[in-house]
Amino acid sequence: MDGPDWRVLEEEEGRLLVDVPLVEAAKNFRGHLFGGFAPTYIDLVALRTVSAGRRSEAPHGWLLTMNLHVEYFEPVEGPRFLIESRIGKRRGRTIFVEVTFKDMSGKSLLFATTMLLEQPAG
């Protein structure tokens, strides 16, 4: 991942665990992750999860985000938090990715599902 100080802790086919800093620019007035930034992080990680663990052999077409649904459970506080993602289901060109934000002790803060559509290269 190419974000500021994002650390990929675990990567295997169809699964990622990333340690992410809560940067000042993404904080709301209470010092939590601003809710509008969460879907951007979710989309970024979900797209990257599709090629996780197999980047060298992954097809080089396009991925389109068709749907993204977020459930906020608790505020995302810093200084760091975890984003865990996994492919839940593939069906034809449709890929469903589940994304969870957790605090550093593993407590779930947010859960999201994303539906992606693979577009072949060319």
Side-chain angles (χ1 to χ4, degrees), residues 54 68 75 85 87 120:
R54 58 182 193 95
L68 193 149
S85 63
I87 294 175

Side-chain angles (χ1 to χ4, degrees), residues 3-112:
D5 196 26
W6 287 43
R7 303 172 188 158
V8 176
L9 301 178
E10 297 176 18
E11 178 175 357
E12 58 191 61
E13 189 168 336
R15 184 179 168 278
L16 283 174
L17 179 62
V18 185
D19 176 336
V20 179
L22 180 55
V23 296
E24 286 299 318
K27 290 181 182 180
N28 65 18
F29 67 95
R30 292 184 173 211
H32 305 145
L33 178 67
F34 178 68
F37 276 96
T40 302
Y41 287 10
I42 292 162
D43 196 27
L44 174 69
V45 172
L47 292 166
R48 176 61 179 76
T49 300
V50 173
S51 62
R54 58 182 193 95
R55 277 194 281 176
S56 62
E57 63 191 61
H60 296 286
W62 292 93
L63 290 168
L64 302 173
T65 302
M66 302 300 291
N67 191 335
L68 193 149
H69 180 85
V70 184
E71 294 292 340
Y72 298 90
F73 303 136
E74 303 278 345
V76 177
E77 300 176 309
R80 303 191 71 84
F81 61 98
L82 301 171
I83 301 177
E84 184 170 17
S85 63
R86 70 175 191 85
I87 294 175
K89 178 84 172 162
R90 283 182 181 264
R91 185 171 186 188
R93 295 185 312 144
T94 304
I95 305 165
F96 297 92
V97 180
E98 299 171 349
V99 179
T100 306
F101 286 25
K102 299 178 179 183
D103 68 14
M104 297 309 284
S105 70
K107 179 173 129 185
S108 290
L109 307 173
L110 172 156
F111 178 77

